Amino acid sequence: MSITRLLIPLSLALLSACATQSGRNVTVEKLSQCPVRLNNGQNLILSLPSNPTTGYRWAIQDSAGGVLKGLGPEVYRNPEDAGIVGAAGVSTWRFQAFNAGTGRLRLTYQQPWAPEVPPVETFDCAIAVN
């Protein structure tokens, strides 16, 4: 078998692997992107505007635990170009779909020391995993 005949199937296999990898992450940044459909093994990256300097934090109320598993804690990122102390940033969570079914990913934005006060904002997203 010639080298060319070996390289063509190998190249096609590598290209298909790269194409599959790019669809591995699904990013959600606003409620209008819900509901979300995922395949088993896909990652969900949730990024929401946040400003912890105000005392408000996002708290996960329902993590769609039957279909999603967390891949780490919340990561807060402040835009470097803001140049303003106390400027708003973005909180990001990563999840992986691990089980077929449905669930809800629900977060509330409120001050943790005042749970009796209604949240300023709620993020409630239906999740379906194939």
Side-chain angles (χ1 to χ4, degrees):
M1 196 175 231
S2 73
I3 294 270
T4 306
R5 285 191 170 194
L6 286 174
L7 287 178
I8 290 175
L10 180 61
S11 298
L12 290 174
L14 287 173
L15 282 173
S16 69
C18 290
T20 304
Q21 188 67 14
S22 67
R24 187 153 173 87
N25 293 331
V26 174
T27 302
V28 174
E29 296 176 335
K30 50 191 163 187
L31 194 55
S32 63
Q33 294 174 296
C34 295
V36 175
R37 292 191 163 279
L38 301 167
N39 292 318
N40 204 356
Q42 267 189 311
N43 295 331
L44 172 65
I45 300 169
L46 174 62
S47 295
L48 298 174
S50 181
N51 191 347
T53 63
T54 63
Y56 286 88
R57 299 291 310 238
W58 285 102
I60 297 176
Q61 304 299 326
D62 188 348
S63 64
V67 294
L68 295 179
K69 65 179 173 182
L71 296 178
E74 168 190 3
V75 175
Y76 175 76
R77 178 176 43 88
N78 191 7
E80 291 137 18
D81 60 350
I84 302 170
V85 174
V90 175
S91 290
T92 301
W93 298 262
R94 295 182 66 232
F95 301 91
Q96 185 175 54
F98 75 96
N99 193 27
T102 59
R104 298 202 79 76
L105 185 55
R106 193 170 67 83
L107 293 88
T108 55
Y109 193 61
Q110 63 191 114
Q111 294 173 323
W113 61 84
E116 70 283 353
V117 177
V120 177
E121 197 172 339
T122 300
F123 181 87
D124 190 353
C125 187
I127 308 291
V129 177
N130 297 327

